[in-house]
Every structure is written in C-alpha cells, then in structure tokens.
Amino acid sequence: QLPTMKMLLLLISLLSTALPARAAPPTCYSRVLSLSKEITESFKELQNSKTVDSCVETLPRLYLDIHNYCVLAKLRDFVAYPGCDRVVEVNELKEKARSLYTILISYCRRDLVFLTDDCNALEIPISPPLEHS
C-alpha cells in the first residue's frame, strides 16, 4: 500500500509541474487599475508625439487616479470633448476611456472604494519620487 501511495504522490507532483500554472482571473480592481495606467501612459505618449495633430494640445488633461471619485467626471469630460475627432490615436484613447468609465460605473460599482474626491489632484499629477543610485 505504501509504494502505491508514493507512486500516486509522485504522479500528482509530476502533473502539477507539467501543467502550466494558471494565473488568477483579473479582479475588477486590477482591471480598472491596469486600464487607467494604460490610458494615462497612452495620453502622455500622445502629447509627447511630434507627428500628431496640434489639436492634441487642446485636449483636457488625462491623469487618472481610480481612487479619486472625480475620475468619473474626468473620463466623461474627456470622452465628450469635441476636438480631435480626425486623429485616430485620440479616438482610440476615447474608446479606452469610455470602456474604463463603463467598467467603473457598471461592473465594478460595488467593488471599488473611492478614497478622495479632490478634483484638483487629477489636474496636477504627482511626480514619482526620484530614485537615488
């Protein structure tokens, strides 16, 4: 009986190492957090791009903090902004912002906790601290 148990344990351990590890499915919070970071980075890249239309300079700032209740108004304003409709990158960014807004108010409405409602904080992004070597 003991050799059978050892074989069974060996088989289980081999199978568990042979099968690919599956990551946990994304939570609402992790999805919203990653999408907000993606949108913020895309916006920075768009503003820094020299090949994009000059109307990009007139777009509302798009620094997102999903812990700030004002992010909902910020997303609405950005999506509704009438300028730059001819710029493909802006339309793609507006689609991502619309998706984030929908996720926030529909799918994750009960899962998120807003820690602040300081709308000014979304106008002036906090710079990350400089790392010293």
Side-chain angles (χ1 to χ4, degrees), residues 35-37 39-40 62-66 71 74-75 100 122:
L35 187 54
S36 69
K37 287 179 181 178
I39 291 169
T40 300
L62 197 56
Y63 167 69
L64 303 177
D65 176 4
I66 62 162
V71 74
K74 174 68 79 175
L75 289 167
L100 178 59
L122 295 180

Side-chain angles (χ1 to χ4, degrees), residues 1-41:
Q1 187 177 9
L2 191 56
T4 306
M5 184 64 95
K6 283 184 180 180
M7 284 298 284
L8 184 58
L9 288 173
L10 179 62
L11 182 62
I12 290 171
S13 68
L14 285 174
L15 284 175
S16 67
T17 57
L19 296 175
R22 292 185 184 165
T27 61
C28 248
Y29 178 75
S30 65
R31 177 65 184 130
V32 166
L33 187 62
S34 67
L35 187 54
S36 69
K37 287 179 181 178
E38 180 183 329
I39 291 169
T40 300
E41 287 303 311

Side-chain angles (χ1 to χ4, degrees), residues 81-99:
Y81 189 77
C84 289
D85 288 339
R86 65 187 176 275
V87 180
V88 174
E89 295 88 349
V90 172
N91 288 327
E92 290 172 355
L93 201 54
K94 284 185 176 186
E95 272 307 307
K96 286 181 183 180
R98 188 177 290 113
S99 294

Side-chain angles (χ1 to χ4, degrees), residues 58-120:
T58 65
L59 288 171
R61 292 181 63 117
L62 197 56
Y63 167 69
L64 303 177
D65 176 4
I66 62 162
H67 304 103
N68 188 331
Y69 185 74
C70 292
V71 74
L72 297 172
K74 174 68 79 175
L75 289 167
R76 273 193 315 267
D77 291 347
F78 185 79
V79 169
Y81 189 77
C84 289
D85 288 339
R86 65 187 176 275
V87 180
V88 174
E89 295 88 349
V90 172
N91 288 327
E92 290 172 355
L93 201 54
K94 284 185 176 186
E95 272 307 307
K96 286 181 183 180
R98 188 177 290 113
S99 294
L100 178 59
Y101 181 80
T102 301
I103 293 169
L104 283 168
I105 64 165
S106 298
Y107 304 109
C108 299
R109 184 182 55 190
R110 292 190 177 110
D111 295 345
L112 297 176
V113 174
F114 295 107
L115 304 175
T116 183
D117 62 352
D118 180 5
C119 296
N120 289 332

